[in-house]
Amino acid sequence: MHAVEIRDVEKCFGAHRVLRGVSLSVAEGEAFVLLGPNGAGKTTLIRIVATLLRQDSGVVRVLGYDTRREAQEVRRRIGVVTHNPLLYEELTARENLTFYARAYGVPLERIEELLDRVELEERADEPVSTFSRGMKQRLSIARALLHSPEVLLLDEPTTGLDIKGRRDFYALLGNLLEEGVTLLMTTHHTEEAERLCSRGAVLRSGRVVAQGELSELKASVESLEDAYLQMTGEEGEG
């Protein structure tokens, strides 16, 4: 059984087709990356897998559960981390986790375990507003892990992190991978993807234009970036 299975997924916002027949699969215990420039459809696809959006057509299954017909079962088995930590800034780290633990029906003892795991136990009773970007992202991982998900979805999770923050974040993800958690992440930085993932897919304009081993995809990503620069005349990232 695949951890995530996506077949012929289409999604439109008005007249704009964001996803155009996307198909891919992620094995259990695998780290899989969605690569591509901004606007390629990566975030929309992650939101559909997370049951935050409904596709117009096609099928998405997480651990065998259909995201449209069995959304509650899917939510019990996934954790979600985005570039926006989505934390209550005025609350402490412990208070944030307590709020979510009660919402999930998770024993409060789990909070102390996770605070220790993300190395925030010494700052647990300080307001999140005093935390660095890296600390907030580590706390968002703790929140996502409260209910022990089998699949972790990460949408541009290292945006805004400094070098140390990225290193610490990827070390934490590496530990989760060793424990058998499946990771599906988005990024447009191939060098970041290579730290963790062995396989991935390249999206462009809502289509999968290449997928397979990362070593084979690098050329595809570079050619997409070159094409983007030629079309726009820009020197920055797409």
Side-chain angles (χ1 to χ4, degrees):
M1 182 175 63
H2 296 297
V4 180
E5 186 176 8
I6 299 167
R7 292 289 175 263
D8 303 317
V9 167
E10 302 263 348
K11 181 64 182 178
C12 297
F13 293 109
H16 180 48
R17 293 179 68 194
V18 180
L19 297 176
R20 303 164 182 253
V22 171
S23 294
L24 57 90
S25 60
V26 182
E28 289 190 65
E30 179 179 29
F32 190 99
V33 63
L34 300 174
L35 297 163
N38 292 335
K42 304 186 303 295
T43 292
T44 298
L45 188 58
I46 286 285
R47 287 175 62 82
I48 288 172
V49 177
T51 75
L52 300 174
L53 280 177
R54 290 172 67 93
Q55 68 270 32
D56 298 325
S57 62
V59 175
V60 179
R61 294 188 179 92
V62 176
L63 296 168
Y65 294 98
D66 186 283
T67 56
R68 289 198 288 195
R69 293 185 292 104
E70 301 168 292
Q72 196 62 34
E73 292 297 331
V74 171
R75 290 173 192 146
R76 289 192 182 103
R77 291 162 173 81
I78 64 170
V80 182
V81 178
T82 71
H83 59 276
N84 183 347
L86 299 175
L87 299 166
Y88 294 100
E89 297 266 333
E90 70 278 10
L91 300 181
T92 67
R94 181 175 281 109
E95 288 169 341
N96 265 276
L97 293 184
T98 299
F99 174 84
Y100 286 105
R102 286 173 174 161
Y104 284 125
V106 173
L108 297 184
E109 294 77 23
R110 174 77 169 150
I111 293 172
E112 302 309 315
E113 174 189 339
L114 288 170
L115 285 169
D116 179 68
R117 175 157 201 174
V118 298
E119 299 180 354
L120 287 175
E121 66 279 5
E122 293 184 2
R123 303 284 298 273
D125 295 311
E126 297 179 25
V128 170
S129 60
T130 66
F131 285 10
S132 69
R133 167 74 176 146
M135 292 169 64
K136 290 177 182 178
Q137 203 64 328
R138 280 186 278 142
L139 183 58
S140 72
I141 282 263
R143 182 201 62 217
L145 295 177
L146 273 168
H147 58 303
S148 302
E150 298 166 73
V151 177
L152 192 61
L153 307 174
L154 304 115
D155 186 23
E156 302 284 0
T158 60
T159 299
L161 295 184
D162 59 21
I163 293 174
K164 182 181 183 304
R166 291 187 185 204
R167 184 174 62 245
D168 293 345
F169 190 79
Y170 275 98
L172 180 55
L173 293 182
N175 291 336
L176 292 173
L177 193 59
E178 289 178 0
E179 295 168 12
V181 176
T182 301
L183 306 180
L184 174 59
M185 65 179 291
T186 75
T187 184
H188 52 273
H189 296 296
T190 55
E191 69 278 5
E192 287 193 6
E194 288 179 298
R195 288 184 176 214
L196 201 67
C197 306
S198 58
R199 283 200 325 124
V202 181
L203 270 67
R204 185 185 184 193
S205 301
R207 292 188 176 92
V208 174
V209 296
Q211 63 179 301
E213 299 296 321
L214 273 191
S215 57
E216 300 170 354
L217 292 180
K218 287 183 66 177
S220 297
V221 175
E222 291 169 0
S223 65
L224 288 177
E225 291 174 348
D226 289 343
Y228 177 84
L229 295 179
Q230 290 171 9
M231 287 188 297
T232 63
E234 296 181 9
E235 297 182 357
E237 294 174 347

